[in-house]
């Protein structure tokens, strides 16, 4: 069978490695006006929230580790548009964007970042350890690749209970080389578990290019030895993500087992706030921002279709900024957890 041709207009070129073909690209799905506006607002909310979190971290209001999602917004928003209530989500420490996309309150997320009692984990979890049973969000996990086994366990629970829920399990290109990932792949394939494995390939893991660290850099093929289908997706285009998500989730709901989506994406900031990202050039980052930014793509389509004016989009931005500003004010003025909280939520 001949390989599928890319439908993406993104070249994905770097100085370190040649461009790769993306099997699901920007022309694979057309959004309605409502979908475009929803995607734009959701991605903008994540972008503005993360910008504010970075600012508060620089001021010393947020401590510990803090990994921002700026640049990768299309991945989680496109996936969320394909999910339904009851589906579970689990991810690594770059988790704020996932929480916002799932509808968790900006106040709750920001208050957790500042260690306040109004936070989603009562101020005890911080950036990397937030959960919401109500929203089906099972963390934020700091152990690289550790969430993949847990996400597989969520899928096993769905299979055992006989429901049609799907576990959406995110991890990065660095975590893709961890041993427990392949143990999970084997179990999921053997028992046909309903799990979508999403590899957010932002090219650099913690700071090392995939060219230097990975023998097989087409991560969508990582499940071939277990019979798990996988595709590469233009993770900078929310429409491409939604199209891929529809296909993968339908596969899982039909009882066909796991599916791998490699999201070709890019983070604009360092691995964490303490990372100066000197392993890549400023020109490379600027090229991605100017040519492939997920928000700018949606904005351009909205203006071209006449579905929104510049003033309309400025109003959306103002509304989003107001919500984020409110969350920051709340997070800085909320009380810290009582000492008694040290003894709650402990499992023996």
């Amino acid at each position: 069978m001949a390989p599928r041709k890319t439908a993406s207009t993104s070249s994905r070129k770097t100085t370190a490695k040649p461009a790769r073909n993306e099997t699901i690209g920007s022309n694979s799905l057309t959004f309605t006006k409502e979908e475009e506006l929803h995607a734009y607002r959701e991605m903008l909310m994540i972008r503005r929230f993360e910008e504010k979190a970075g600012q508060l971290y620089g001021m010393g209001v947020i401590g510990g580790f803090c990994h921002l999602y700026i640049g990768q917004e299309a991945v989680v928003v496109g996936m969320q548009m394909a999910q339904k209530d009851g589906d579970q989500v689990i991810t690594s420490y770059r988790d704020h964007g996932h929480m916002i996309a799932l509808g968790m309150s900006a106040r709750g997320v920001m208050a957790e970042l500042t260690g306040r009692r109004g936070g989603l984990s009562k101020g005890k979890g911080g950036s990397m350890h937030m959960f919401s049973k109500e929203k089906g969000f099972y963390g934020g996990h700091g152990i690289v690749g550790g969430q993949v086994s847990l996400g597989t366990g969520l899928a096993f629970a769905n299979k055992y209970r006989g429901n049609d829920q799907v576990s959406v399990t995110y991890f990065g290109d660095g975590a893709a080389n961890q041993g427990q990932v392949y143990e999970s792949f084997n179990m999921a394939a053997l028992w046909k578990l309903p799990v979508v494995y999403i590899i957010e390939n932002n090219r650099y893991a913690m700071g090392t290019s995939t060219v230097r660290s990975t023998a097989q850099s087409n991560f969508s093929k990582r499940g071939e030895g277990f019979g798990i289908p996988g595709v590469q997706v233009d993770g900078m285009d929310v429409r491409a993500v939604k199209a891929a998500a529809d296909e993968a989730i339908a596969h899982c709901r039909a009882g066909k087992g796991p599916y791998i989506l490699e999201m070709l994406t890019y983070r604009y900031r360092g691995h964490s706030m303490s990372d100066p990202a000197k392993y890549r050039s400023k020109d490379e980052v600027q090229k991605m921002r100017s040519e492939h930014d997920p928000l700018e793509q949606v904005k351009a389509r909205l203006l071209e279709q006449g579905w929104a004016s510049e003033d309309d989009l400025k109003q959306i931005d103002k509304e989003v900024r107001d919500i984020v500003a409110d969350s920051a004010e709340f997070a800085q003025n909320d009380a810290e957890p009582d000492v008694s909280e040290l003894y709650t939520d402990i499992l023996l």
Side-chain angles (χ1 to χ4, degrees):
M1 180 181 292
R4 293 174 59 185
K5 294 182 178 180
T6 176
S8 173
T9 57
S10 171
S11 65
R12 299 289 299 179
K13 292 182 179 178
T14 69
T15 56
K17 66 191 298 184
R20 295 182 299 176
N21 289 332
E22 298 154 13
T23 57
I24 295 184
S26 59
N27 298 325
S28 55
L29 187 68
T30 300
F31 273 7
T32 64
K33 174 183 177 180
E34 290 70 25
E35 287 173 324
E36 293 279 30
L37 286 169
H38 171 80
Y40 183 74
R41 184 182 181 88
E42 290 296 297
M43 290 193 293
L44 188 62
M45 178 66 73
I46 295 171
R47 177 74 57 91
R48 298 292 182 242
F49 182 93
E50 294 288 66
E51 290 171 347
K52 177 61 71 173
Q55 180 185 15
L56 294 180
Y57 190 94
M59 295 166 57
V61 177
I62 296 172
F65 292 98
C66 186
H67 306 79
L68 303 182
Y69 204 65
I70 297 173
Q72 299 183 207
E73 298 91 349
V75 176
V76 70
V77 172
M79 287 300 306
Q80 184 58 30
M81 291 175 72
Q83 294 165 220
K84 72 173 188 178
D85 290 343
D87 291 340
Q88 303 106 340
V89 172
I90 190 167
T91 189
S92 64
Y93 35 71
R94 201 177 306 281
D95 54 1
H96 316 150
H98 296 73
M99 300 175 208
I100 298 298
L102 282 166
M104 298 162 74
S105 75
R107 276 190 169 195
V109 179
M110 196 70 84
E112 189 60 41
L113 292 178
T114 58
R116 306 306 172 100
R117 66 174 59 179
L120 288 165
S121 293
K122 304 177 185 177
K124 300 185 293 182
S127 174
M128 297 191 290
H129 303 97
M130 283 184 251
F131 303 84
S132 174
K133 184 177 180 181
E134 175 191 2
K135 299 295 185 180
F137 183 71
Y138 289 83
H141 294 268
I143 304 300
V144 177
Q147 76 278 9
V148 180
S149 299
L150 300 176
T152 305
L154 291 169
F156 177 79
N158 293 334
K159 180 87 172 186
Y160 185 82
R161 293 166 179 158
N163 59 44
D164 70 342
Q165 296 170 1
V166 173
S167 168
V168 181
T169 300
Y170 293 83
F171 55 106
D173 50 285
N177 293 324
Q178 294 288 315
Q180 68 266 31
V181 171
Y182 296 94
E183 295 179 63
S184 299
F185 283 178
N186 182 65
M187 182 180 292
L190 182 65
W191 293 336
K192 295 191 180 299
L193 302 183
V195 51
V196 179
Y197 294 113
I198 301 168
I199 304 174
E200 294 187 279
N201 180 4
N202 60 30
R203 304 188 191 185
Y204 290 101
M206 289 184 68
T208 302
S209 168
T210 55
V211 175
R212 297 177 55 212
S213 63
T214 301
Q216 170 53 276
S217 59
N218 185 334
F219 293 95
S220 69
K221 295 183 177 180
R222 290 299 183 91
E224 284 187 346
F226 307 96
I228 302 175
V231 294
Q232 290 183 317
V233 185
D234 181 356
M236 303 299 280
D237 190 317
V238 68
R239 299 171 304 170
V241 176
K242 171 64 163 56
D246 285 340
E247 180 179 320
I249 290 175
H251 175 94
C252 292
R253 291 204 206 283
K256 297 179 180 179
Y259 204 101
I260 294 174
L261 297 177
E262 179 191 356
M263 298 293 178
L264 299 169
T265 185
Y266 196 83
R267 55 172 167 79
Y268 296 164
R269 301 290 184 91
H271 171 71
S272 70
M273 286 297 296
S274 60
D275 173 19
K278 293 182 179 179
Y279 41 80
R280 60 185 182 181
S281 68
K282 292 182 179 179
D283 289 342
E284 178 184 304
V285 178
Q286 184 55 42
K287 181 178 177 62
M288 290 298 297
R289 277 185 173 272
S290 62
E291 297 182 9
H292 304 291
D293 185 77
L295 280 88
E296 291 300 319
Q297 291 185 55
V298 179
K299 180 179 179 179
R301 293 196 297 269
L302 285 168
L303 293 173
E304 183 180 350
Q305 293 286 346
W307 289 343
S309 65
E310 288 282 2
D311 287 341
D312 293 332
L313 298 179
K314 287 179 181 178
Q315 180 60 32
I316 292 174
D317 192 23
K318 180 183 182 305
E319 293 169 0
V320 166
R321 287 180 184 273
D322 287 346
I323 293 171
V324 171
D326 171 75
S327 73
E329 182 178 359
F330 174 78
Q332 292 176 86
N333 293 288
D334 190 28
E336 294 184 352
D338 188 80
V339 175
S340 63
E341 281 292 344
L342 288 171
Y343 305 99
T344 64
D345 304 315
I346 297 175
L347 301 178
L348 299 176

